[in-house]
Amino acid sequence: MLRLIYEAMKRKGIDTHAIFSRLGVDENYVYTDQLRTPHSAQVYFWQAVEDVSRDPDIGLHLGQLLPAYKGQVLEYLFLSSPTFGEGLRRAQNYQRLLSDAANTDFFIEGDEACMVLDAASEVISRLRHFNECFVQGIIIFFKSITNDQFGPSRIEFEHEREGGHEHVEEILGCKVVFGAEENRLYFPVEMLSHASPHAEPELLDLHERFASEQVARLEKKDIVGQVERIVAELLDSGEVTLDAVAERLGIKPRTLRTRLTEAETSFNQVLADFRYRLARQLLATTDESIDEIVYLTGFSEPSTFYRAFKRWSGMTPIEYRKTAQGKDAMVDAM
């Protein structure tokens, strides 16, 4: 999902480098293999996008420019299923392949079918930019696999809106309700029987096996996010060790080491990556002193921090801060 949004930002001419500098992440991060981002990052990401774009409706407008989700196993599952409804039911089992920030449920209510877009956290469920962008991503995808036959009949959002309701309905092409109990996408029930011209039982079995394998790989990588959350809690204590993290997780250190190896990383690599991201974010977006950043990133000595940061980025912390904040300053001045 982040890659689709990134492409939309490029189409809109937004300074993506300024956004990722504020987040303390290199722009190439978008193309990381098996990319997953923490749920909490959604809030910071969308705030940065709104600040740089100066568009209070940026999620809504980026949604219009999202490219269709193409060439991935979810698309193949839909196309090789006999009908749109069958594809939808199968894809629900593998929705993690699109996004960890939202889950979907599905039911029929009279002459309408409904997808419940259940966010992974309450913060995200009320995040206006994410909701208005994500629902358009789904609509664009459904249109692409049904030869533009799909169309929503009603959309309900949890978030409130002070104004611009008609503008939202014009863009989404249907009635829109705000302040609802859940994020929901309604569409005519007959859409479920829309036949796929590419239905192929043998390919369907192949695509389901492939999707299952991809989800299994993602589940192995879940341990990395769990470790990073505990590292964030332990950094200021100075006790960021594999043993300490394993104890917090309630598993043996050897088990943690094995699970990280299965995720194709190590404890030292996860710790270094987290410290580097945190250091870049603090340098780019705050006026904290270098000594304070040394403490916040869990280093015992400034000299150790300087050597590590130079090894990671090729720049000293001071050089990085001048570069990152200088670009932000230019954006603010425009």
Side-chain angles (χ1 to χ4, degrees):
M1 188 64 192
L2 179 59
R3 289 193 184 114
L4 299 180
I5 295 169
Y6 178 75
E7 292 300 323
M9 289 193 291
K10 288 290 191 183
R11 290 180 178 184
K12 195 167 178 60
I14 294 174
D15 187 345
T16 53
H17 185 80
I19 291 169
F20 285 95
S21 292
R22 290 188 179 210
L23 297 171
V25 177
D26 188 273
E27 202 161 341
N28 291 327
Y29 173 73
V30 174
Y31 298 106
T32 303
D33 186 41
Q34 298 289 330
L35 174 65
R36 315 308 286 184
T37 54
H39 301 150
S40 58
Q42 287 283 347
V43 178
Y44 302 111
F45 170 76
W46 284 109
Q47 187 59 58
V49 176
E50 180 179 334
D51 290 345
V52 172
S53 68
R54 300 182 183 274
D55 182 355
D57 281 334
I58 190 59
L60 181 68
H61 296 150
L62 283 179
Q64 294 178 279
L65 300 173
L66 288 174
Y69 183 70
K70 289 284 187 182
Q72 300 290 337
V73 69
L74 281 182
E75 182 190 16
Y76 300 149
L77 277 175
F78 269 99
L79 293 177
S80 55
S81 294
T83 65
F84 175 77
E86 285 295 313
L88 184 59
R89 291 184 180 92
R90 285 186 171 89
Q92 274 188 274
N93 298 324
Y94 310 108
Q95 55 194 295
R96 282 200 64 192
L97 300 179
L98 174 61
S99 176
D100 282 336
N103 302 309
T104 63
D105 197 3
F106 168 74
F107 64 89
I108 296 174
E109 192 175 84
D111 60 354
E112 288 187 312
C114 176
M115 284 186 66
V116 179
L117 310 178
D118 182 25
S121 73
E122 286 192 14
V123 173
I124 295 177
S125 69
R126 296 182 178 85
L127 193 57
R128 178 166 60 89
H129 293 319
F130 174 80
N131 289 342
E132 295 177 1
C133 186
F134 184 68
V135 76
Q136 290 185 81
I138 292 176
I139 293 170
I140 290 169
F141 173 58
F142 286 171
K143 283 181 177 291
S144 74
I145 59 176
T146 60
N147 296 320
D148 283 329
Q149 295 302 301
F150 181 88
S153 54
R154 185 169 85 258
I155 295 172
E156 297 180 356
F157 288 123
E158 281 192 52
H159 65 265
E160 300 279 1
R161 241 183 182 274
E162 293 183 1
H165 294 196
E166 292 182 359
H167 181 52
V168 177
E169 292 186 344
E170 180 183 358
I171 288 176
L172 297 181
C174 64
K175 178 178 175 56
V176 180
V177 177
F178 296 94
E181 291 185 3
E182 294 180 307
N183 293 312
R184 292 184 173 189
L185 170 64
Y186 289 88
F187 57 92
V189 71
E190 56 264 26
M191 194 67 231
L192 296 174
S193 58
H194 177 80
S196 171
H198 307 284
E200 178 55 63
E202 291 183 2
L203 281 179
L204 180 58
D205 290 340
L206 176 65
H207 294 150
E208 285 208 273
R209 288 199 300 273
F210 185 49
S212 296
E213 291 170 2
Q214 284 196 327
V215 170
R217 283 197 292 271
L218 287 178
E219 288 174 348
K220 286 182 179 179
K221 290 182 178 292
D222 286 346
I223 189 64
V224 175
Q226 295 172 25
V227 169
E228 287 187 339
R229 285 192 291 273
I230 295 173
V231 165
E233 296 170 2
L234 294 175
L235 268 182
D236 59 359
S237 71
E239 294 295 326
V240 190
T241 64
L242 183 140
D243 288 0
V245 172
E247 183 178 354
R248 288 284 194 98
L249 288 171
I251 60 178
K252 295 179 180 180
R254 183 173 59 186
T255 302
L256 176 57
R257 189 178 293 109
T258 300
R259 291 179 64 182
L260 288 171
T261 299
E262 290 174 346
E264 301 176 358
T265 187
S266 66
F267 178 76
N268 287 339
Q269 187 62 53
V270 173
L271 177 59
D273 289 346
F274 183 85
R275 281 173 156 173
Y276 183 34
R277 288 201 307 274
L278 179 59
R280 283 183 296 174
Q281 184 176 352
L282 292 169
L283 289 166
T285 63
T286 75
D287 294 322
E288 296 282 4
S289 67
I290 298 297
D291 286 344
E292 183 65 15
I293 292 175
V294 169
Y295 167 75
L296 292 172
T297 50
F299 285 90
S300 57
E301 299 288 340
S303 58
T304 308
F305 171 71
Y306 269 82
R307 285 196 299 272
F309 195 88
K310 184 68 180 290
R311 184 173 66 253
W312 292 330
S313 68
M315 292 185 281
T316 67
I318 293 174
E319 289 170 342
Y320 181 87
R321 168 169 271 173
K322 287 180 179 178
T323 301
Q325 294 191 343
K327 285 174 180 169
D328 277 354
M330 284 193 291
V331 171
D332 290 339
M334 289 176 63

